[in-house]
């Protein structure tokens, strides 16, 4: 594994590892780790660092929805143009072009159901290229960004074993 | 009527690990670096396959040698990894853990009065197992100066030439030592010269972090005298499912199977279903666990370095085997446990050559390892 990949792997596991600890676990010196991170950020491989939050434990709990969007394209407008327009709204937390029955999968977050509904009806649906929206409110989240929200598995190993 | 222990059993003392386990159990807030099994759960796909097999009621005995589809996959996996070809029908035996495979080999090939040369420090059951089979034991202590690799020199010095069987294990528990093909060559030469059988426990083969795992059985003239043992406990984190296997020439597997068919009948069926799935689908899980162990290994070695604790660069399994800062390893381990609530295992419980060292397991999350290293550091100050 290249040192860049090793640093990326460590950060993907836990973005809060200190430079010093990443240096230890990758056999690099701290400067090399800093340089690798700087490169990864500069090249846009790493786009940000965010906490993985279980929103059901946040008060007040925000409302989230995943929204299916269908669009029509014309000579002047492509997927990227539509995406660019939607992605700028702060309510939009995620936006992906997908294969299958619809075109975009969009994740929206707001303070209340009415706020999210209003956002869809007033900001998203009126976009001329958008032909259909189907909104699914998220009721329960079991796993986000690879992190399971269950109780995890208890360490029931013997404290000392051969 | 009294339950008087057999003389064979009397020759086997209670495990030295047991004492530390009891000490550690007295505290409920310890960080244990004394655990000899993975902290991961088995890959979900393999667990799911086990559940499915239970739902379908596939819980009968299997063939004595294990399910054919499992033996085929084991043979194919070994061929891919070590360039070693075993016939799934006649040269593979699925066992209840490597533990059973080792015991079968002992009982199949040793007579009372025979000697077993055991490279040490080693897994705690090799010596008692040999004694229970009625054999004598020749200690072959490996040395820190050789990074705990087995050398021709220590084989000669220890009188291993007199043995019937040589037992080796790389990557090693407790040292984490590995051996390359070139380093195994003189050991193989010694075994050929003195006509020794070899039992090679390769249960940590997939947890090799530097270079490729090499099997002694792949060296010229070795396949016909070697029993290779491997299993699912470590790389697939399946310890409690109890599944391993032995690979050897047909006459050896036939002999081991003759004991197995009476004493075990067949290895756990549910675990065999999990193992088939593990070999089919779980390579990515194994790779991920290996990468995580490797990060921990490097982290640990780096912290030891900064603390001035001497430790050779262990490159396999999930153990480091640093020098103990005090002469008395047991006293150190006890004091560390009491003062800082960090458990490590003194090296002497793993046999000859282990004195003055500590086995530090990194089958523990990085944040826990970091906390443990901080405590160790403050203990040393
Ligand atoms: C070197 C070695 N061999 C064998 C075993 C036992 O393996 P199994 O669970 O397959 O019986 C262990 C477990 O700690 C081990 O470390």
């Amino acid at each position: 594994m290249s040192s860049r990949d090793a640093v990326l792997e460590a950060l993907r596991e836990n973005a809060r590892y200190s430079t010093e600890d990443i240096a230890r676990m990758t056999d690099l010196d701290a400067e090399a780790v800093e340089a690798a991170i700087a490169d990864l950020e500069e090249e846009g491989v790493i786009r940000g660092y965010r906490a993985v939050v279980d929103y059901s434990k946040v008060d007040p709990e925000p409302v989230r929805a995943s929204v299916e969007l269908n669009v029509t394209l014309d000579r002047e407008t492509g997927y990227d143009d539509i995406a660019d327009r939607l992605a700028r709204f702060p309510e939009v937390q995620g936006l992906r072009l997908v294969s299958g029955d619809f075109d975009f999968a969009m994740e929206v977050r707001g303070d209340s159901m009415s706020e999210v509904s209003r956002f869809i009806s007033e900001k998203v649906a009126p976009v001329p290229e958008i032909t259909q929206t189907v909104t699914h409110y998220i009721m329960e989240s079991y796993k986000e960004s690879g992190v399971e929200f269950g109780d995890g598995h208890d360490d029931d190993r013997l404290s000392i074993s051969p | 009527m009294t339950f008087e222990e057999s003389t064979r059993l009397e020759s086997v003392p209670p495990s030295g690990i047991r004492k530390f386990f009891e000490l550690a159990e007295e505290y409920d807030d310890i960080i244990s670096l004394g655990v000899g099994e993975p902290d991961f759960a088995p890959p979900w796909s393999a667990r799911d396959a086990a559940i499915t097999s239970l739902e379908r009621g596939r819980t009968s005995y299997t063939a004595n040698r294990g399910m054919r589809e499992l033996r085929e996959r084991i043979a194919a996996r070994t061929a891919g990894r070590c360039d070693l070809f075993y016939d799934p029908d006649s040269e593979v035996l699925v066992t209840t853990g490597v533990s059973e495979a080792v015991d079968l080999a002992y009982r199949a090939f040793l007579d009372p009065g025979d000697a077993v040369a055991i490279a040490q420090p080693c897994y705690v059951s090799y010596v008692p197992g040999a004694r229970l089979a009625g054999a004598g034991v020749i200690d072959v202590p490996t040395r820190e100066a050789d990074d705990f690799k087995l050398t021709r020199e220590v084989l000669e010095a220890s009188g291993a030439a007199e043995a019937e069987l040589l037992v080796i294990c790389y990557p090693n528990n407790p040292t984490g030592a590995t051996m390359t093909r070139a380093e195994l060559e003189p050991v193989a030469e010694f075994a050929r010269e003195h006509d020794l059988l070899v039992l090679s426990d390769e249960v940590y083969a997939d947890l090799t972090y530097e270079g490729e795992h090499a099997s002694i059985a792949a060296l010229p003239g070795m396949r016909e005298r070697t029993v290779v043992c491997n299993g699912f406990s470590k790389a697939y984190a399946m310890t409690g499912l109890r599944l391993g296997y032995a690979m050897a020439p047909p006459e050896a597997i036939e002999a081991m199977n003759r004991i197995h068919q009476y004493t075990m009948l067949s290895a756990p069926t549910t675990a065999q279903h999990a193992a088939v799935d593990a070999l089919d689908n779980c390579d990515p899980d194994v790779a991920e666990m290996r990468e995580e162990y490797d990060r921990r290994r490097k982290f640990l070695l780096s912290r030891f370095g900064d603390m001035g604790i001497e430790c050779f660069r262990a490159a396999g399994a999930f153990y480091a085997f640093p020098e103990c800062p005090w002469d008395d390893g047991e006293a150190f381990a006890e004091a560390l446990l009491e003062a800082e609530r960090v458990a490590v295992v003194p090296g002497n419980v793993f046999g000859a050559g282990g004195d003055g060292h500590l086995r530090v397991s990194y089958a523990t999350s990085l944040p826990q390892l970091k906390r443990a290293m901080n405590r160790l550091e403050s203990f040393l100050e």
Side-chain angles (χ1 to χ4, degrees):
Chain A
M1 208 189 303
S2 72
S3 54
R4 225 175 94 105
D5 290 347
V7 170
L8 183 59
E9 275 304 308
L11 286 172
R12 271 161 42 92
E13 183 187 77
N14 184 345
R16 289 204 53 180
Y17 284 141
S18 67
T19 303
E20 185 201 341
D21 286 348
I22 294 175
R24 291 184 193 280
M25 63 184 86
T26 55
D27 255 356
L28 298 167
D29 54 35
E31 292 80 65
V33 172
E34 290 288 5
I37 295 175
D39 282 353
L40 287 162
E41 288 174 351
E42 201 161 305
E43 289 165 27
V45 177
I46 293 178
R47 295 294 186 129
Y49 306 86
R50 291 285 189 284
V52 180
V53 176
D54 182 350
Y55 285 107
S56 71
K57 303 229 159 82
V58 174
D59 192 25
E61 182 181 348
V63 170
R64 291 186 301 155
S66 68
V67 185
E68 301 171 4
L69 301 178
N70 267 308
V71 303
T72 52
L73 304 180
D74 58 39
R75 233 177 260 129
E76 275 81 49
T77 324
Y79 286 123
D80 291 354
D81 301 306
I82 304 168
D84 190 45
R85 186 159 175 187
L86 294 170
R88 289 168 195 261
F89 289 108
E91 289 87 346
V92 174
Q93 293 292 306
L95 183 63
R96 299 179 171 105
L97 181 66
V98 295
S99 62
D101 288 342
F102 54 95
D103 298 309
F104 285 102
M106 180 169 80
E107 196 188 308
V108 176
R109 193 168 73 208
D111 290 340
S112 66
M113 220 141 138
S114 61
E115 184 188 307
V116 171
S117 302
R118 224 175 322 114
F119 172 69
I120 303 295
S121 60
E122 291 173 11
K123 301 289 184 190
V124 180
V127 172
E129 294 81 6
I130 292 179
T131 55
Q132 192 191 22
T133 69
V134 180
T135 304
H136 304 271
Y137 285 100
I138 293 172
M139 303 199 291
E140 182 84 56
S141 189
Y142 300 96
K143 191 174 184 179
E144 297 279 344
S145 303
V147 179
E148 282 179 59
F149 289 172
D151 295 334
H153 86 110
D154 290 337
D155 192 346
D156 49 9
R157 297 176 298 162
L158 301 176
S159 57
I160 305 273
S161 56
Chain B
M1 245 335 248
T2 52
F3 289 106
E4 201 173 311
E5 287 185 5
S6 67
T7 10
R8 271 185 198 180
L9 182 55
E10 277 177 345
S11 70
V12 174
S15 158
I17 275 236
R18 184 81 211 167
K19 180 181 148 196
F20 261 84
F21 172 66
E22 278 159 15
L23 269 178
E25 284 295 285
E26 288 172 21
Y27 308 97
D28 52 10
D29 54 349
I30 64 165
I31 301 177
S32 182
L33 308 183
V35 187
E37 62 177 320
D39 55 317
F40 300 104
W44 174 250
S45 175
R47 280 187 279 161
D48 189 51
I51 294 166
T52 305
S53 75
L54 287 172
E55 282 174 344
R56 292 187 182 155
R58 298 180 68 182
T59 52
S60 2
Y61 297 126
T62 69
N64 293 139
R65 290 166 186 245
M67 283 160 39
R68 188 165 199 288
E69 64 237 76
L70 177 56
R71 282 180 278 129
E72 277 167 8
R73 284 164 173 79
I74 288 168
R77 174 55 54 96
T78 308
R81 185 203 292 123
C82 299
D83 226 5
L84 257 175
F85 299 90
Y86 288 101
D87 172 28
D89 286 322
S90 61
E91 298 184 310
V92 178
L93 176 64
V94 178
T95 57
T96 303
V98 170
S99 305
E100 192 211 353
V102 171
D103 184 51
L104 291 177
Y106 281 160
R107 287 194 285 158
F109 309 119
L110 297 173
D111 282 313
D114 283 347
V116 185
I118 302 179
Q120 301 176 33
C122 67
Y123 181 52
V124 296
S125 78
Y126 299 157
V127 171
R131 297 240 168 83
L132 288 172
V137 170
I138 298 171
D139 296 335
V140 184
T142 58
R143 302 177 303 200
E144 185 173 26
D146 304 320
D147 286 355
F148 293 101
K149 295 171 193 289
L150 180 57
T151 63
R152 186 170 175 117
E153 198 185 336
V154 297
L155 280 165
E156 272 164 7
S158 59
E162 300 308 314
E164 214 59 42
L165 173 69
L166 169 67
V167 180
I168 64 173
C169 171
Y170 298 96
N172 182 269
N173 176 7
T175 64
T178 51
M179 287 184 72
T180 63
R181 194 182 156 96
E183 288 160 347
L184 286 167
E185 189 55 69
V187 177
E189 184 186 68
F190 183 88
R192 288 190 302 261
E193 265 170 40
H194 300 285
D195 201 21
L196 305 183
L197 298 178
V198 176
L199 193 164
S200 181
D201 179 348
E202 302 178 15
V203 72
Y204 292 100
D206 283 333
L207 301 180
T208 299
Y209 310 109
E210 296 179 12
E212 298 273 299
H213 172 74
S215 175
I216 193 167
L219 296 178
M222 292 308 292
R223 187 186 185 285
E224 60 258 40
R225 61 176 69 249
T226 305
V227 177
V228 175
C229 299
N230 202 333
F232 295 86
S233 284
K234 310 299 173 172
Y236 295 93
M238 282 171 38
T239 43
L241 288 174
R242 312 303 307 123
L243 205 69
Y245 51 91
M247 296 174 298
E251 64 278 14
I253 290 299
E254 206 282 318
M256 290 167 67
N257 187 37
R258 228 154 70 229
I259 304 175
H260 172 81
Q261 70 183 2
Y262 291 121
T263 56
M264 193 61 65
L265 225 166
S266 60
T269 303
T270 310
Q272 294 191 49
H273 286 288
V276 167
D277 186 90
L279 290 172
D280 280 348
N281 300 319
C282 300
D283 287 350
D285 304 74
V286 174
E288 214 171 283
M289 291 189 268
R290 180 171 46 236
E291 280 164 22
E292 174 63 21
Y293 288 130
D294 192 24
R295 283 193 281 272
R296 299 172 184 179
R297 174 181 75 104
K298 289 171 177 161
F299 177 82
L300 212 54
L301 292 175
S302 155
R303 289 294 299 263
F304 287 151
D306 286 359
M307 282 183 244
I309 295 176
E310 287 291 328
C311 187
F312 83 101
R313 201 173 162 82
F318 33 65
Y319 310 104
F321 205 59
E323 277 181 18
C324 183
W326 302 357
D327 285 342
D328 185 342
E330 291 209 20
F332 181 87
E334 280 177 40
L336 180 65
L337 182 62
E338 203 190 328
E340 299 288 346
R341 304 285 196 265
V342 173
V344 297
V345 183
N348 61 312
V349 311
F350 301 99
D355 228 2
H357 290 80
L358 303 167
R359 187 189 76 172
V360 179
S361 158
Y362 47 90
T364 298
S365 72
L366 264 162
Q368 285 286 78
L369 273 183
K370 183 170 177 174
R371 238 165 270 147
M373 288 304 108
N374 292 346
R375 292 185 191 182
L376 175 61
E377 195 162 21
S378 75
F379 181 70
L380 292 176
E381 285 160 6

